[in-house]
């Protein structure tokens, strides 16, 4: 045979198209698209956008249209907040936005959950890539798509998005979307955020983007399926309608712009808004000093067991490049839910800039688009699609704080600031998730809005605000418990009372959190769960000498009916966790404390479950705090006199709280000298402090020291390379307990023939 006969024939263009069509038609499964999910930058400018900008680029016209669309987004946000059935809707865990025809978020509502600003563009791009030209799906005027699966772009499965395309004379000009934290989603535990999930199959509804609306009507067959997949069918239906009609209201505002200014003006406005913000971000970054800052935050549990989990962050700025490097963070947990998809981490980092660094910028995807993020594959901040992530908040919130802590040091050194330098805000969802059968006989599952009262960090010039807002939202609310009690069978016996001695001290102290005490009253099928870290190790760091917050365990009082106590002996009831746990006023009751990862637990009438919202971090040296502000904190019940005197070295009369300024200055001077005596040279400190490996008595996960390439997986002798993923399974807590009890029986010689 000659060379020509053995050489493969080059396929023709027609043959290549047939091969492509065959592959497209026989695709087995459209999973999450890594090309979409790993990219948070803006899509390239299209020819249509370029042509539109050539026709309309006047700054005054762009500003007018942008403000009109912004008002429409805010109007849609208000509609969802006022009409939504989910607790999350009622207290502002919502966002609405307008996206370019390519799927980039150009303008979002001013209020709501800005983390979505770097997330909901992913499902739209999935729709564009896969459904736009699919003959069985398609995208046309009047369609609407639903979505909640974080692996396709969202925070976690409790969040549901409604997405609709906007056409003008047959041309797709933009998209509109509304996203709400719905809560209940049919997961293994009620309320939508199951900490007991050991695989994605335990996490309830996982909706890749699919069509649920045609001709602006919700499809009843799909709706029925979704209602039968969750514990609250009425909630599912009502909020789908609310999100749809909020999108239609924004669509109405967009059509007014299309009719008055034309499609070119709209598309030019969306594109220029994004490009101008992106350029401004790069300009502002270029003014920061070129340097590297390292930070880390420790998680103290997986919500199933206590352990030490590291979120490692190195932030580097060079020229106009800003790079978050999270390599060295803990490996993903193969059968624990505290992992996050990397898009969720990026969303929270975007929140750092939109809320705390550049709050003057328009809300949208572009503010984070030029900022780079590096992670290890299959790490807790960039988990695989096979790992559960229903508790992704544990990792994205601690990742947020690591980033906020590092960014503050750049901001401090920057000559031009657009906000005050800010110590980290509290970052855990210290609240009660609840579920069961209500006093009205309805099956429910959701959560309290108390998580929105996170204490704000102190700034460079003032104390942090108490229970201000969650780190993931602006203008959110903590809800009205009295209204909630009309629907659920439990009371908050103590609500919004500041927690004493849980404050984060500093020259300026962090804002405080509040106590929550709940007890079931009118149901025998009702329970609670808590899903937060920080009961053993604070989940944030102070700034420039300020302290971290305290630690906040869950406290329970069992074998008591506090409603009987309140009816018959109300004087025995105490209104703080401190008093109840220390004085133990209820005879024969069982008092206990726990970490904050309580799985769903049925509660009996009158049993107390008690937690506290956390405080923001402190700023600056404690010895520089104004003594008058310290006394004010004592008077307001934020700190006890004994703790204040010990920490701040302030001297005052115990009865009158009158300050002895001379004695205070002397005490502080003495403490400064004591600090010098306690100090050692840095190299000597490092030699005495650093150890070659993590301690063997702690389950430790993540890098140790500067070697970010080696990740420890629970023990000093179990490691993996950062770029070489391995499974990281945790034993079931029940199996751990059984093994402990069997070891005790064996040591006592009580195993008998079973051991043989």
């Amino acid at each position: 045979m000659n060379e020509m006969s053995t050489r493969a024939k080059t396929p023709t263009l027609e043959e290549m198209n047939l091969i492509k069509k065959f592959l497209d038609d026989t695709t087995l499964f459209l999973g999450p698209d890594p090309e979409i999910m790993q990219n948070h930058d803006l899509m390239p400018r299209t020819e249509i956008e370029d042509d539109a900008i050539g026709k309309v680029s006047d700054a005054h016209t762009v500003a007018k249209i942008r403000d009109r669309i912004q008002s429409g987004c805010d109007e849609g946000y208000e509609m969802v907040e006022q009409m939504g059935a989910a607790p999350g809707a009622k207290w502002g865990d919502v966002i609405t936005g307008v996206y370019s025809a390519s799927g980039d978020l150009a303008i979002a509502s001013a209020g709501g959950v800005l983390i979505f600003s770097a997330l909901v563009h992913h499902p739209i791009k999935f729709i564009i890539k896969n459904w736009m030209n699919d003959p069985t799906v398609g995208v046309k005027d009047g369609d609407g798509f639903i979505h909640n699966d974080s692996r396709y772009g969202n925070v976690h499965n409790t969040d549901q998005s409604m997405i609709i395309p906007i056409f003008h004379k047959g041309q797709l000009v933009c998209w509109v979307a509304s996203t709400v934290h719905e809560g209940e989603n049919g997961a293994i535990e009620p309320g939508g955020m199951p900490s007991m999930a050991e695989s994605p199959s335990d996490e309830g509804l996982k909706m890749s983007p699919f069509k649920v609306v045609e001709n602006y009507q919700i499809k009843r067959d799909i709706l029925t399926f979704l209602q039968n997949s969750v514990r609250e069918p009425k909630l599912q239906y009502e909020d789908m309608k609310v999100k749809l009609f909020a999108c239609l209201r924004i669509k109405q505002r967009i059509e007014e712009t299309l009719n008055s200014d034309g499609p070119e003006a709209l598309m030019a406005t969306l594109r220029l808004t994004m490009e101008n913000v992106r350029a401004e971000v790069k300009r502002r970054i270029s003014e920061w000093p070129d340097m590297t800052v390292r930070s880390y935050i420790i998680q103290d549990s997986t919500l199933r067991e206590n352990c030490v989990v590291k979120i490692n962050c190195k932030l580097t700025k060079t020229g106009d490049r800003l790079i978050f490097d999270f390599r060295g963070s803990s490996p993903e947990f193969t059968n624990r839910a505290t992992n996050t998809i990397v898009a969720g981490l990026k969303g929270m980092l975007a929140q750092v800039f939109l809320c705390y660094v550049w709050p003057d910028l328009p809300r949208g995807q572009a503010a984070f688009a030029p900022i780079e993020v590096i992670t290890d594959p299959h790490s807790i901040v960039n988990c695989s699609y096979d790992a559960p992530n229903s508790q992704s908040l544990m990792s994205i919130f601690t990742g947020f704080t690591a980033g906020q802590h590092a960014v503050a040091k750049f901001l401090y050194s920057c000559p031009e600031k657009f906000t005050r330098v800010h110590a980290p805000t509290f970052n855990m969802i210290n609240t009660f998730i609840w579920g069961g059968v209500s006093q009205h006989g309805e099956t429910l599952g959701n959560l309290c809005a108390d998580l929105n009262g996170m204490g704000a960090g102190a700034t460079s010039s003032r104390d942090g605000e108490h229970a201000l807002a969650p780190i993931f939202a602006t203008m959110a609310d903590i809800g009205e418990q009295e209204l909630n009690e009309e629907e659920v069978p439990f009371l908050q016996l103590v609500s919004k009372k500041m927690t004493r001695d849980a404050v984060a001290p500093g020259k300026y102290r962090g804002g405080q959190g509040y106590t929550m005490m709940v007890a079931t009253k009118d149901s025998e099928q009702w329970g609670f769960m808590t899903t937060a870290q920080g009961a053993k190790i604070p989940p944030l760091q102070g700034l420039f000498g300020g302290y971290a917050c305290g630690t906040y365990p869950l406290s329970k009082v069992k074998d008591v009916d506090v409603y009987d106590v309140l009816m018959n002996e109300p004087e025995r009831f105490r209104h703080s966790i401190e008093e109840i746990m220390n004085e133990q006023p209820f005879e024969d009751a069982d008092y206990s404390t726990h970490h904050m990862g309580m799985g769903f637990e049925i509660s009996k009438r009158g049993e107390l479950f008690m937690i506290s919202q956390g405080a923001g971090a402190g700023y600056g040296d404690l010895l520089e705090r104004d003594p008058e502000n310290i006394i004010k904190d004592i008077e307001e019940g934020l700190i006890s006199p004994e703790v204040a005197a010990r920490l701040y070295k302030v001297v005052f009369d115990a009865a009158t709280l009158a300050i002895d300024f001379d004695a205070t200055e002397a005490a502080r001077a003495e403490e400064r000298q004591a600090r010098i005596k306690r100090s050692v040279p840095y190299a000597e400190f490092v030699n005495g402090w650093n150890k070659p490996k993590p301690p063997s008595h702690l389950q430790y996960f993540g890098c140790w020291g500067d070697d970010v390439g080696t990740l420890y997986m629970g023990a000093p002798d179990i490691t993996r390379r950062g770029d070489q993923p391995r499974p990281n399974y945790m034993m079931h807590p029940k199996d751990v307990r059984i093994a402990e009890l069997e070891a005790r029986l064996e040591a006592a010689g009580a195993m008998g023939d079973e051991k043989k």
Side-chain angles (χ1 to χ4, degrees), residues 428-450:
M428 281 289 126
I429 51 172
N430 287 11
T431 190
F432 288 103
I433 301 173
W434 41 257
V437 179
S438 75
Q439 68 269 41
H440 308 298
E442 293 183 292
T443 299
L444 304 176
N446 228 293
L447 77 170
C448 299
D450 302 287

Side-chain angles (χ1 to χ4, degrees), residues 651-662:
V651 181
F652 54 89
D653 184 274
T656 65
L657 300 183
I659 303 167
D660 187 331
F661 288 96
D662 292 337

Side-chain angles (χ1 to χ4, degrees), residues 669-684:
E670 182 180 351
E671 175 59 20
R672 291 186 176 96
Q673 290 301 313
R675 287 178 177 179
I676 295 173
K677 292 179 181 179
R678 293 195 299 267
S679 65
V680 296
Y682 181 71
E684 182 181 336

Side-chain angles (χ1 to χ4, degrees), residues 313-369:
C313 178
K314 182 176 77 171
L315 182 59
T316 300
K317 183 267 174 181
T318 305
D320 62 359
R321 294 183 67 192
L322 187 64
I323 304 170
F324 284 93
D325 187 346
F326 284 88
R327 288 176 295 183
S329 297
S330 166
E332 74 177 22
F333 290 97
T334 309
N335 63 337
R336 292 293 181 266
T338 51
N339 311 291
T340 186
I341 300 293
V342 70
L345 172 69
K346 293 175 180 178
M348 279 308 303
L349 293 173
Q351 184 87 7
V352 172
F353 294 95
L354 287 168
C355 284
Y356 296 95
V357 181
W358 301 317
D360 60 314
L361 292 179
R363 270 39 177 157
Q365 182 183 338
F368 194 70

Side-chain angles (χ1 to χ4, degrees), residues 97-249:
V98 176
Y99 300 72
S100 70
S102 300
D104 295 323
L105 176 61
I107 301 172
S109 57
V113 183
L114 294 178
I115 179 176
F116 296 138
S117 63
L119 291 174
V120 181
H121 66 102
H122 295 302
I124 296 177
K125 291 169 182 174
F126 181 92
I127 294 168
I128 293 171
K129 181 175 181 177
N130 295 288
W131 301 150
M132 184 76 76
N133 298 314
D134 188 295
T136 67
V137 185
V139 177
K140 61 183 184 299
D141 198 16
D143 286 348
F145 296 81
I146 198 170
H147 157 261
N148 82 322
D149 191 339
S150 60
R151 299 174 299 178
Y152 293 81
N154 224 329
V155 180
H156 48 185
N157 292 347
T158 56
D159 303 315
Q160 295 188 21
S161 300
M162 180 67 71
I163 302 165
I164 66 171
I166 308 297
F167 290 84
H168 180 73
K169 297 182 179 180
Q171 179 187 17
L172 177 66
V173 293
C174 64
W175 300 76
V176 171
S178 173
T179 303
V180 177
H181 178 109
E182 296 293 351
E184 175 51 40
N185 60 10
I188 191 174
E189 294 175 291
M193 295 189 289
S195 55
M196 295 185 71
E198 296 200 357
S199 79
S201 301
D202 295 332
E203 296 179 314
L205 273 174
K206 283 190 174 293
M207 297 184 286
S208 57
F210 63 86
K211 189 181 297 186
V212 72
V213 172
E214 289 184 344
N215 297 319
Y216 301 118
Q217 297 292 317
I218 295 174
K219 292 166 60 67
R220 199 63 193 238
D221 56 344
I222 301 296
L223 171 64
T224 300
F225 162 72
L226 295 176
Q227 288 180 296
N228 279 284
S229 300
V230 300
R231 294 176 178 86
E232 294 198 45
K234 291 192 298 184
L235 168 66
Q236 182 67 37
Y237 184 28
E238 180 174 350
D239 277 6
M240 284 175 65
K241 292 175 64 178
V242 168
K243 290 193 290 285
L244 173 60
F245 279 91
C247 288
L248 293 179
R249 177 57 61 85

